[in-house]
Amino acid sequence: MGDEQLIREAWEGLSRGDLRVLRRMLALDARWRAVYDGPWNCEGRAAILDVLGRAVGDGLSGEIDEVLEMGDRTVVAFRPDRHDQDAWPLDDGVRCLVLSVRAGMVTEMKACLDRKAALAYATAAS
């Protein structure tokens, strides 16, 4: 199964409140880094699942706009149904995340300010 299909399956499950696919694809020591690093970053699979579970419970919804596989990194462009004005700005209605994959497991999720930043991060040496 390719990264895109797995990512879309994880989102489908997440949108129903089912974290099982996401849990299986996250490494135990996975990290979720915000656009700007700080104490709000998540360290570890349990912390990521907790935050995403609460976000879904609070109404997180939308659709995946695009998935670009780029070697061991994948850019995911997500179009949220709602946008909190206090959150980081959307890029033409889209939020971008770069997933780093090692041995078939997501080891890092990096939020990016826009598509340009996501593409630059995805192609930078890891």
Side-chain angles (χ1 to χ4, degrees), residues 1-10 25 64 67-76 99-106:
M1 178 184 309
D3 289 346
E4 181 171 359
Q5 183 179 350
L6 190 58
I7 289 164
R8 290 185 184 278
E9 285 182 16
M25 65 189 285
I64 294 176
V67 177
L68 297 170
E69 295 182 40
M70 306 177 79
D72 64 348
R73 290 190 171 155
T74 301
V75 176
V76 179
L99 306 179
S100 297
V101 180
R102 184 180 68 238
M105 302 293 289
V106 174

Side-chain angles (χ1 to χ4, degrees), residues 91-105:
D91 178 25
D92 195 25
V94 171
R95 200 168 267 154
C96 291
L97 188 67
V98 178
L99 306 179
S100 297
V101 180
R102 184 180 68 238
M105 302 293 289

Side-chain angles (χ1 to χ4, degrees), residues 24-62:
R24 284 193 309 266
M25 65 189 285
L26 288 172
L28 281 174
D29 61 347
R31 300 178 328 154
W32 185 3
R33 296 178 49 215
V35 171
Y36 302 107
D37 285 331
W40 41 81
N41 288 343
C42 291
E43 299 292 331
R45 177 172 55 195
I48 294 169
L49 291 171
D50 180 57
V51 169
L52 284 173
R54 281 187 281 131
V56 169
D58 290 342
L60 174 68
S61 62

